[in-house]
Amino acid sequence: MYPQEFRYSKDHEWIRVEGGRGRVGITDYAQKQLGDVVFLELPEVGRALKAGEQFGTVESVKAVSELFAPADGTVVAVNSALVAKPETINKDPHGAAWMIEVELANGASLD
């Protein structure tokens, strides 16, 4: 259920690193705790992030939760299809439901 090639943060975000970039999302556990996801707020492309820094929010019928960057880097892509259909997070949290892609900073620390 939890892909071994992913790294996981204490805040239940994951990052899949390929080359100098990483795609970020939330874990299956996190989406189950949230319940039905209804809204997603993500950063703009070009935003610099530090590991542990808030980069967005995810809202469900139960709660609003902050999203935290699992690594240092710059946002190079945002999953606009996910923003349009946030319920995808509940269906495929480790696949199609990636949220942002970051260009990892040299020597980036993973949270």
Side-chain angles (χ1 to χ4, degrees):
M1 175 167 23
Y2 287 89
Q4 293 196 359
E5 67 274 16
F6 288 17
R7 302 270 314 264
Y8 300 92
S9 76
K10 64 182 179 340
D11 297 308
H12 302 287
E13 284 86 15
W14 56 258
I15 186 168
R16 180 178 187 179
V17 177
E18 291 183 12
R21 291 187 174 191
R23 282 197 170 171
V24 177
I26 63 170
T27 65
D28 184 56
Y29 174 82
Q31 70 81 20
K32 283 180 181 171
Q33 295 301 305
L34 285 166
D36 295 334
V37 175
V38 296
F39 181 76
L40 184 63
E41 180 181 54
L42 297 175
E44 292 184 20
V45 169
R47 179 169 166 199
L49 298 172
K50 293 284 185 196
E53 176 183 355
Q54 181 184 341
F55 71 83
T57 57
V58 60
E59 183 177 336
S60 72
V61 294
K62 293 185 215 178
V64 175
S65 293
E66 296 174 336
L67 300 166
F68 298 97
D72 298 345
T74 302
V75 177
V76 293
V78 173
N79 189 346
S80 56
L82 188 62
V83 173
K85 295 188 83 172
E87 64 273 13
T88 304
I89 294 169
N90 297 116
K91 297 175 184 153
D92 191 14
H94 295 122
W98 64 273
M99 297 176 175
I100 60 172
E101 186 170 334
V102 295
E103 181 76 37
L104 299 171
N106 286 336
S109 65
L110 297 178
D111 187 28

